[in-house]
């Protein structure tokens, strides 16, 4: 069955490989794709089309359309034609009810008259109650592959980010020549090739390259040289998926069956890029042009030469290019009966090919084209017509090799913003302007002579090397002159469609878009290709522009010929090859920061939450109200890991000026050993951060920021002083220092046990800052703060000492029953004190005054240009802002849920944080409300979600709720 | 697009290492005589140039410096000067 | 069953030398305004000027998601009105806008986010819009594809569920409105670029175009991402707008599997299944202004990483097409709709960022009333330009928003 002895084979017929299709085993050989294995076993129908459920077969071998999209091992839309078969693969046809051969939905093909272009928009909405029903059917009918909602992707995925001097896209003769030429200058070269082997259009052809070598031999010779070059890194089986400006190239590589990865995402930064992606074939438009049994020239030829599978017994060829003649001759020599070769061209064929056709007595028709295939599930007969349509002939066959010509794969160029223009000579879209440091080579330039292909590659490679600074001007000139002497771009065929009406001439296979549909769309005013694409869906299926990409603009221009339209290229978008989400995701490491105390907090039963980049312990028990944690701080002593706090050192002669610029307070008024609480605003006067500042010595400060702002604080300082040329330095110590907050009436007793310094209230009062060591070893910066409203020490120590510090304090606190408290307990404690958390008690638009923090602002600071103060002055007194107020619920047992709104007939504000307070036995909270509702004593109605009209009642009360004079934190 | 930015300290680097800092509007105007309108012009209003603009960037994942470049907003490429060179 | 294939929005009209109103931009807001001007305000001598083809910009590149679960009482009624207009317009325009009211799920990844979402839910319920909070178990029942396991970067704590939202076929809205506007006499001029807006003594007098001069007493610029540049270039009025590219992508088509619009602020991604079966997903904006509409490698990878976590079945699905459009962002994430100030007869409708689609019909209707009567309708008053200099930003964003490469 297999043509086992061909020297061109890329399969190993001696090694078998079995795939399971619809419950039956099919025997393939090593190197087969899923589709070639099935085809070798007589499978002709691989699936059904989207709308009409037409049978679809093998048409190309590079995945240009959805014809052979199948489900493989539960993964939908796998392109069977270029997916390597693996032993035991389970394969199923898509979009069928029944099987690919017997699809119960097959009748849809007769209903095409019901579905002209854009029929959805014009139907199914009258009467209105029809639409919800129709919607369900539309959804069911749409889509190709099926995937289970709980599908779990198997496999290993990785990613690499190489850099290169020159990146060559395409491992055909031009790409290989380019890579070799660039490598001459000792540059680092990367070569990307989509197929599992190098060789491109030489790889399977047995025509002569020169007196000694055939094309495939030449291809393998070049490949050997490329692979042997130490400075060329070759990625085979690695389709290029994207190219972005500044020559960022992306690709993915499919791993070998037993490799370290299944697919690997590759992102390359290259100085210069050579695009040598070659051509695909331009489909021929005629009636039933996608019947199983119709395939492209390269598909038929490679099926035999690369895979050893005879594509049919008796073939008709309808082609427009010498490669078609070459394939007919070669397949004839391999034993296929060629019923007829119809060539669109009237002239221009290579004389040796014509002679070879004649020698083999192959009937040859010039100026003829396939007009229709016959046969329900497979081609049985072909009608050929003369180009103008007047004469017809019919041939029985089981294979129609059809191709209008070639079309360059320009996706990489359009993505890179090259300008393309229709070139009348070649019939290609050719670049008229390339981005900097990008070059094209090979058949995509219209050159088909093997020597020209290689020479254009060499020239492009040398030019790319020059981009990287190679001193090769002479070599470039020589290569340029050499190329100029070789055959140039060839004339291409202009024929767009066979002389037919086009009811079943498919311009896009994936979306079942016919020539007739395109005419309908244009008649309706959709007159540019991009609009036609949107209206008819042509080119938006799994194969994207592969099939319609060239014919759509050509046909559109021709249909509008009266207005003198020239073909406009359609837009190619990434990914140039459909790419798995899993492949793009790659190795995907979740990166987060953990505090130095992370392990200890876990040991103590911490329930962690991701807060920004950090993992923090939110609870230490199942009780989400944190009653025990809260009361332990109020009545005893607790410890909190505050290491995520932003911590900065600011020093230099102009450090104070910088502080004055960003903080609203007067930072010149700081005394040694005391902390200053202040806030930063943005240009709108809205508060973006609050924290404390300590003056360590002349020109040396230490300050903290909220966790969320730590990453941006240095930028903020530098941005707002960027015109000043001040001499100061800011150092982010956030990760270098950890923080323990020890709070509660017994906090001093615990701490005093482990420090030698005097930390009595007199020696180290509230608002103080001290430096001392814990157990004579751990250097600590200590602050007396009152965020939770109790006697409290915030201890800052080097991250490396944090575990020891924590364990020392835990040990010392044992006799008092010291225990952890988490972020939520802190949240309740600080809420009782009405200490705000930005982003919770503030919106984006909340300014310093709205929060009642106006006392932080020193209006008398002069010449500091403090950020935010212009806006604060302008906005001061505007009643049109939400103000922060304290609220107390009428029902002391029932706090509203956070985020509930405050309403009367309209919305007046919302509840930021509210809790049933264990310390106070009241339900209290903070809310942002309109100024007119902000007066103490105002009664508020609270509207909770799902409240069903029953509102809760609250009253505005003075803040804070807990220990208003603040005695407890001054103990 | 794949933006690259030339940091005056570190050289040409991946654009994602930088933070955009807005159109260059010059130093902050003097607070005296500022009306809400003129302040708003400075704080919020943009020219939204379709072409080359001078703008601020910070090499946030690098040396931390703030600097200006010229960039063509139609191509997203850094350019040498204020003129469109294409 | 089908009429002949006639041009949907009429044959290419002659460019008159004068119109009652000229609308610059051929997107959704423009077409909706034109449609309602002609239909409800009796002003049909209107020209829509589009540089390329209608729906080229944001109208054809957006999420197509519709919902009315915004945060503030200024916004919700506008979006509610828009939501209720879809079925009415489908009938009025006799064009199937293919409203798939599948419901929206906004995933929340922390207690704090659930609380923030509660404000939206309360605001919606207060305005009679259906919206609920779901816990992870309820969420899993509603949409089984979502990963509610704790071992992902941002475990799902719950969701905001908004059943009346969904997805519209955005192109159909463009074409339907164009059809409706043309039928009422509006002239849609494609491939016509406005090159200048003409004023005299503080009043609008007309528009200069590549096809000639038009005199008109009122001009509306609603050209999406291009608006701010046009308004500054032609009238010297600067706006608080940054034009960013926003990206989206679709996977290959699948049989029905994802039954809601799912979005996550934390992962900065949304995903829904289109009627064609593709999973449409996106949301990323690079934080520097540009007009390129180019996509980035960084983002498609980032999106894959995000989807791998909260919709892990998608790991077995392939991305097929990735594109970008422009989003004109304002500092407070709310649009700017204003008129007659400082130039009489000049109107603007811009700053819609990435949420201009949802409200386009209701906005167009109010803008039409604004332009016809010269008086700003109540519903649009909060959206005036002066709010920035008056330090009265809209409250649509709870917290400060900074754009980073990873959101």
């Amino acid at each position: 069955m297999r043509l086992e002895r061909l020297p061109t084979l890329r399969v190993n017929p001696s090694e078998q490989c079995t795939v399971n299709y619809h419950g039956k085993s099919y025997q393939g050989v090593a190197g087969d794709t899923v589709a070639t294995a099935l085809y070798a076993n007589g499978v002709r129908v691989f699936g059904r089309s989207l709308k009409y459920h037409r049978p679809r077969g093998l048409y190309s071998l590079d995945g240009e359309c959805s014809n052979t999209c199948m489900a493989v091992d539960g993964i939908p839309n796998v392109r069977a034609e270029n997916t390597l078969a693996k032993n035991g693969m389970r394969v199923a046809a898509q979009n069928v009810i029944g099987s690919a051969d017997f699809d119960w939905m097959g009748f849809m093909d007769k209903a095409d008259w019901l579905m002209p272009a854009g029929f959805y928009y014009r139907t199914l909405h009258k009467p209105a109650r029809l639409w919800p029903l129709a919607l369900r059917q539309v959804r069911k009918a749409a889509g190709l592959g099926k995937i289970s909602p709980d599908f779990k992707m198997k496999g290993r995925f990785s990613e690499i980010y190489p850099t290169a001097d020159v990146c060559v896209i395409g491992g055909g003769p031009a790409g290989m020549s380019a890579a070799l030429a660039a490598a001459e200058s000792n540059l680092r070269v990367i070569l990307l090739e989509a197929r599992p082997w190098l060789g491109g259009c030489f790889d399977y052809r047995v025509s002569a390259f020169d007196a000694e070598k055939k094309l495939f031999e030449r291809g393998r010779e070049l490949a050997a040289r490329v692979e042997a070059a130490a400075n060329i890194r070759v990625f085979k089986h690695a389709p290029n998926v994207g190219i972005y400006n500044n020559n960022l190239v992306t690709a993915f590589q499919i791993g070998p069956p037993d490799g370290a990865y299944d697919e690997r995402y590759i992102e390359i930064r290259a100085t210069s890029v050579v695009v040598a992606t070659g051509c695909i074939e331009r489909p021929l438009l005629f009636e039933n042009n996608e019947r199983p049994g119709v395939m492209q020239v390269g598909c038929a030829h490679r099926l035999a030469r690369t895979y050893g599978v005879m594509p049919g017994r008796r073939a008709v060829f309808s082609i427009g290019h010498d490669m078609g003649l070459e394939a007919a001759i070669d397949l004839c020599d391999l034993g296929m009966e060629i019923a007829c070769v119809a060539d669109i061209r009237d002239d221009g064929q290579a004389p040796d090919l014509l002679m070879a056709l004649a020698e083999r007595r192959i009937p040859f028709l010039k100026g003829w084209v396939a007009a229709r295939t016959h046969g329900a599930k497979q081609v049985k007969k072909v009608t050929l017509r003369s180009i103008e349509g007047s004469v017809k002939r019919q041939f029985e066959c089981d294979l129609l090799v059809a191709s209008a010509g070639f079309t360059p794969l320009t996706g990489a160029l359009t993505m890179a913003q090259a300008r393309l223009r229709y070139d009348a000579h070649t019939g290609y879209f050719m670049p008229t302007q390339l981005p900097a440091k990008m070059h094209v080579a090979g058949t995509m330039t219209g050159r088909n002579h093997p020597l020209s292909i290689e020479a254009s590659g060499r020239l492009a490679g040398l030019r790319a090397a020059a981009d990287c600074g190679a001193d090769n001007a002479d070599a470039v000139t020589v290569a340029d002159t050499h190329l100029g002497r070789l055959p140039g771009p060839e004339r291409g065929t202009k024929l767009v469609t066979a002389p037919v009406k086009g009811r079943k001439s498919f311009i896009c296979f994936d979306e079942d878009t016919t020539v007739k549909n395109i005419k309908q769309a244009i008649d309706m005013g959709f007159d540019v290709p991009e609009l036609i694409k949107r209206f008819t869906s042509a080119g938006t299926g799994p194969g994207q522009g592969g099939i319609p990409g060239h014919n759509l603009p050509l046909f559109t221009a021709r249909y509008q010929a009266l207005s003198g339209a020239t073909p406009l290229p359609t837009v190619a978008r990434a990914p140039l090859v459909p790419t798995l989400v899993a492949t793009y995701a790659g190795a995907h490491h979740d990166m987060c920061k953990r505090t130095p105390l992370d392990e200890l907090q876990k040991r103590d039963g911490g329930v962690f939450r991701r807060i920004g980049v950090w993992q923090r312990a939110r609870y230490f028990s199942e009780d989400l109200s944190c009653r025990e944690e809260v009361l332990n701080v109020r009545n005893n002593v607790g410890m909190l890991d505050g290491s995520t706090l932003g911590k900065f050192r600011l020093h230099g002669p102009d450090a104070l000026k910088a502080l004055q610029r960003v903080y609203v307070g007067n930072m010149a008024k700081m005394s040694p050993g005391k902390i200053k609480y202040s806030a930063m605003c943005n240009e709108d006067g809205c508060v973006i951060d609050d924290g404390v500042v300590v003056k360590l010595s002349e020109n040396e400060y230490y300050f903290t920021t909220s966790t969320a702002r730590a990453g941006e604080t240095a930028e903020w300082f530098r941005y707002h002083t960027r015109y000043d040329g001040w001499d100061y330095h800011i150092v982010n110590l956030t990760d270098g220092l950890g923080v323990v907050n020890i709070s509660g009436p017994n906090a001093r007793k615990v701490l005093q046990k482990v420090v030698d310094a005097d930390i009595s209230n007199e020696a180290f009062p509230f608002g103080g800052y001290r430096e001392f060591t814990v157990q004579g070893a751990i250097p600590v910066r200590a602050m007396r703060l009152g965020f939770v409203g109790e006697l409290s020490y915030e201890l800052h120590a080097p991250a490396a000492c944090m575990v020891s510090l924590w364990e020392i304090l835990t040990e010392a606190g044992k006799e008092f029953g010291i225990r952890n408290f988490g972020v939520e307990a802190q949240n309740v404690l600080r809420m009782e004190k009405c200490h705000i958390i930005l982003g919770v008690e503030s919106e984006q638009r909340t300014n310093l005054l709205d929060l009642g923090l106006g006392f932080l602002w020193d209006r008398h600071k002069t010449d500091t240009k403090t950020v935010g103060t212009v806006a604060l002055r302008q906005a001061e007194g505007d009643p049109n802002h939400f103000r922060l107020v304290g609220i107390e619920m009428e029902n002391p047992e029932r706090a509203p849920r956070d985020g509930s709104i405050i309403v009367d007939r309209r919305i007046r504000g919302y509840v930021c944080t509210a809790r049933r307070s264990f310390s106070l036995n009241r339900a209290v909270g903070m809310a942002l409300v309109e100024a007119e509702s902000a007066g103490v004593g105002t009664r508020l109605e609270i509207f909770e979600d799902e409240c069903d009209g029953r509102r809760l009642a609250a009253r505005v009360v003075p803040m804070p709720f807990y220990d208003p004079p603040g005695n407890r934190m001054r103990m | 697009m794949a933006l690259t930015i030339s940091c005056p300290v570190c050289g040409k680097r991946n654009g994602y290492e930088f933070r955009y800092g807005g159109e260059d509007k010059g130093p902050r105007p003097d607070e005296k005589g500022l009306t809400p309108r003129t302040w708003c012009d400075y704080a919020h209003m943009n020219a939204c140039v379709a072409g080359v603009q001078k703008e601020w960037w910070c090499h946030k994942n690098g040396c931390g410096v703030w600097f200006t470049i010229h960039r063509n907003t139609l191509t997203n490429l850094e350019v040498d000067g204020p003129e469109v060179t294409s | 069953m089908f009429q002949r294939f006639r041009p949907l929005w009429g044959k290419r009209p002659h460019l008159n030398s004068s119109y009652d109103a000229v609308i610059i931009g051929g997107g959704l807001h423009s077409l909706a305004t034109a449609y309602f001007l002609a239909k409800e305000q009796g002003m049909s001598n209107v020209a829509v000027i589009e540089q390329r083809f209608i729906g080229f910009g944001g109208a054809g590149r957006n999420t197509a998601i519709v919902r009315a679960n915004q945060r503030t009482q200024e916004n919700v009624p506008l979006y509610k009105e828009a939501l209720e207009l879809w079925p009415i317009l489908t009938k009025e325009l006799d064009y199937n806008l293919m409203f798939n009211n599948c419901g929206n799920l906004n995933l929340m990844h922390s207690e704090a986010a659930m609380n923030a979402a509660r404000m939206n839910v309360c605001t919606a319920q207060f305005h009679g819009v259906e919206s609920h909070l779901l816990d992870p178990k309820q969420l899993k029942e509603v949409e089984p594809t979502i990963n509610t396991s704790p071992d992902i970067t941002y475990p799902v704590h719950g969701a905001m569920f908004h059943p009346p939202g969904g997805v519209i076929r955005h192109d159909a809205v463009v074409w339907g409105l164009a059809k409706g506007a043309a039928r009422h006499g509006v002239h849609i001029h494609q491939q016509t670029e406005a090159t200048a807006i003409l004023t005299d003594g503080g009043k609008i007098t007309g528009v200069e175009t590549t096809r000639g001069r038009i005199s008109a007493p009122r001009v509306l610029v609603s050209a999406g991402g291009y608006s701010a540049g046009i308004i500054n270039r032609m009238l010297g009025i600067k706006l608080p707008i940054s034009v960013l590219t926003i990206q989206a992508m679709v996977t290959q088509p699948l049989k029905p599997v994802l039954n809601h619009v799912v979005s996550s602020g934390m992962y900065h991604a949304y995903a829904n299944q289109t009627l064609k079966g593709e999973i449409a997903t996106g949301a990323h904006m690079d934080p520097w202004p540009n007009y390129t509409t180019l996509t980035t490698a960084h983002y498609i990878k980032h999106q894959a990483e995000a989807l791998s976590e909260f919709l892990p079945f998608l790991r077995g699905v392939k991305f097929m097409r990735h594109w970008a459009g422009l989003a004109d962002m304002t500092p407070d994430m709310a649009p700017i709709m204003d008129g007659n100030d400082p130039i009489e007869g000049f109107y603007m409708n811009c700053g819609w960022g990435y949420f201009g689609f949802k409200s386009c019909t209701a906005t167009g209707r109010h803008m039409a009333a604004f332009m016809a009567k010269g008086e700003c309708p109540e519903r649009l008053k909060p959206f005036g330009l002066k709010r920035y200099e008056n330090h009265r930003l809209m409250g649509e964003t709870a917290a400060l928003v900074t754009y980073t490469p990873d959101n």
Side-chain angles (χ1 to χ4, degrees), chain B residues 39-62:
Chain B
W39 174 248
C40 186
D41 275 350
Y42 179 75
H44 287 306
M45 300 305 182
N46 289 320
C48 297
V49 171
V52 174
Q53 72 174 23
K54 188 180 177 192
E55 59 192 23
W56 284 92
W57 288 86
C58 174
H59 196 188
K60 69 178 161 104
N61 294 348

Coordinates of all heavy atoms in Angstrom, one line a residue, chain B residues 39-62:
Chain B
W39 N -5.4 75.1 36.6 CA -4.9 73.9 37.3 C -5.3 72.6 36.6 O -4.5 71.7 36.4 CB -5.3 73.9 38.8 CG -4.8 72.7 39.5 CD1 -5.6 71.7 40.0 CD2 -3.5 72.3 39.7 NE1 -4.8 70.7 40.5 CE2 -3.5 71.0 40.3 CE3 -2.2 72.9 39.4 CZ2 -2.3 70.3 40.6 CZ3 -1.1 72.2 39.7 CH2 -1.2 70.9 40.3
C40 N -6.6 72.5 36.3 CA -7.1 71.3 35.6 C -6.4 71.1 34.3 O -6.1 69.9 34.0 CB -8.6 71.5 35.4 SG -9.4 70.1 34.8
D41 N -6.1 72.2 33.6 CA -5.4 72.0 32.3 C -4.1 71.3 32.6 O -3.7 70.4 31.8 CB -5.1 73.4 31.7 CG -6.2 73.9 30.9 OD1 -7.1 73.1 30.6 OD2 -6.2 75.1 30.5
Y42 N -3.4 71.7 33.7 CA -2.1 71.1 33.9 C -2.3 69.7 34.5 O -1.6 68.8 34.1 CB -1.3 71.9 35.0 CG 0.0 71.3 35.3 CD1 1.1 71.4 34.4 CD2 0.2 70.7 36.5 CE1 2.3 70.8 34.7 CE2 1.4 70.1 36.8 CZ 2.5 70.2 35.9 OH 3.7 69.6 36.2
A43 N -3.2 69.5 35.4 CA -3.3 68.2 36.1 C -3.9 67.1 35.2 O -3.5 66.0 35.3 CB -4.1 68.4 37.4
H44 N -4.9 67.5 34.4 CA -5.7 66.4 33.7 C -5.6 66.5 32.2 O -5.8 65.4 31.6 CB -7.1 66.5 34.2 CG -7.4 66.1 35.6 ND1 -7.0 64.8 36.0 CD2 -8.0 66.7 36.6 CE1 -7.3 64.7 37.3 NE2 -7.9 65.8 37.7
M45 N -5.6 67.6 31.6 CA -5.8 67.7 30.2 C -4.6 67.2 29.3 O -3.5 67.5 29.7 CB -6.2 69.2 29.8 CG -7.4 69.7 30.5 SD -8.8 68.6 30.3 CE -10.1 69.5 31.2
N46 N -5.0 66.5 28.3 CA -3.9 66.0 27.4 C -4.1 66.5 26.0 O -5.3 66.8 25.6 CB -4.0 64.5 27.4 CG -3.5 63.9 28.7 OD1 -2.5 64.4 29.3 ND2 -4.2 62.9 29.2
A47 N -3.0 66.5 25.2 CA -3.2 66.9 23.8 C -3.6 65.8 23.0 O -4.1 65.9 21.9 CB -1.8 67.5 23.3
C48 N -3.3 64.5 23.4 CA -3.7 63.3 22.7 C -3.2 63.4 21.2 O -3.9 63.1 20.3 CB -5.2 63.1 22.7 SG -5.9 62.8 24.3
V49 N -1.9 63.7 21.1 CA -1.3 63.8 19.8 C -1.3 62.5 19.0 O -0.9 61.5 19.5 CB 0.1 64.4 19.9 CG1 0.8 64.3 18.6 CG2 0.1 65.7 20.5
A50 N -1.8 62.6 17.8 CA -1.6 61.4 16.9 C -0.3 61.7 16.1 O -0.3 62.3 15.0 CB -2.8 61.3 16.0
G51 N 0.8 61.3 16.6 CA 2.1 61.6 16.0 C 3.2 61.6 17.1 O 3.0 60.9 18.0
V52 N 4.2 62.5 16.9 CA 5.3 62.5 17.9 C 4.9 63.3 19.1 O 4.5 64.5 18.9 CB 6.6 63.0 17.2 CG1 7.7 63.1 18.2 CG2 7.0 62.0 16.1
Q53 N 5.1 62.8 20.3 CA 4.9 63.6 21.5 C 6.1 63.4 22.4 O 6.8 62.4 22.4 CB 3.6 63.3 22.2 CG 3.5 61.9 22.9 CD 2.2 61.7 23.6 OE1 1.2 62.4 23.4 NE2 2.3 60.8 24.6
K54 N 6.3 64.4 23.2 CA 7.4 64.3 24.3 C 6.7 63.9 25.5 O 5.6 64.4 25.9 CB 8.0 65.7 24.4 CG 9.3 65.6 25.4 CD 9.8 67.1 25.5 CE 11.0 67.1 26.5 NZ 11.4 68.4 26.8
E55 N 7.3 62.9 26.2 CA 6.6 62.3 27.3 C 7.6 61.8 28.4 O 8.7 61.6 28.1 CB 5.7 61.2 26.8 CG 6.5 60.1 26.1 CD 5.7 59.1 25.3 OE1 4.6 59.4 25.0 OE2 6.2 58.0 25.1
W56 N 7.0 61.6 29.5 CA 7.8 61.1 30.7 C 7.7 59.6 30.9 O 6.7 59.0 30.7 CB 7.4 61.8 32.0 CG 7.8 63.2 32.0 CD1 7.1 64.4 31.6 CD2 9.1 63.7 32.6 NE1 7.9 65.5 31.8 CE2 9.1 65.1 32.4 CE3 10.2 63.1 33.1 CZ2 10.2 65.9 32.8 CZ3 11.2 63.9 33.5 CH2 11.2 65.2 33.4
W57 N 8.8 59.0 31.2 CA 8.9 57.6 31.6 C 9.8 57.4 32.8 O 10.7 58.2 33.0 CB 9.5 56.8 30.4 CG 8.5 56.7 29.3 CD1 8.4 57.6 28.2 CD2 7.6 55.6 29.0 NE1 7.5 57.1 27.3 CE2 7.0 56.0 27.8 CE3 7.3 54.4 29.6 CZ2 6.0 55.1 27.2 CZ3 6.3 53.6 29.1 CH2 5.7 54.0 27.9
C58 N 9.5 56.4 33.5 CA 10.3 56.0 34.7 C 10.8 54.6 34.5 O 10.0 53.7 34.2 CB 9.5 56.1 36.0 SG 10.3 55.5 37.4
H59 N 12.1 54.4 34.7 CA 12.6 53.0 34.6 C 12.3 52.3 35.9 O 13.2 52.0 36.7 CB 14.1 53.0 34.2 CG 14.6 51.7 33.7 ND1 15.9 51.4 33.5 CD2 13.9 50.6 33.3 CE1 16.0 50.2 33.0 NE2 14.8 49.7 32.9
K60 N 11.1 51.9 36.1 CA 10.6 51.5 37.4 C 11.3 50.1 37.7 O 11.6 49.8 38.9 CB 9.1 51.4 37.5 CG 8.5 50.3 36.7 CD 6.9 50.3 36.9 CE 6.3 49.6 35.7 NZ 5.8 48.3 36.0
N61 N 11.4 49.2 36.8 CA 12.0 47.9 37.1 C 13.5 47.9 36.7 O 14.0 46.9 36.3 CB 11.3 46.8 36.3 CG 9.8 46.6 36.7 OD1 9.4 47.1 37.8 ND2 9.1 45.9 36.0
G62 N 14.1 49.1 36.8 CA 15.5 49.2 36.5 C 16.1 50.2 37.5 O 16.0 50.1 38.7

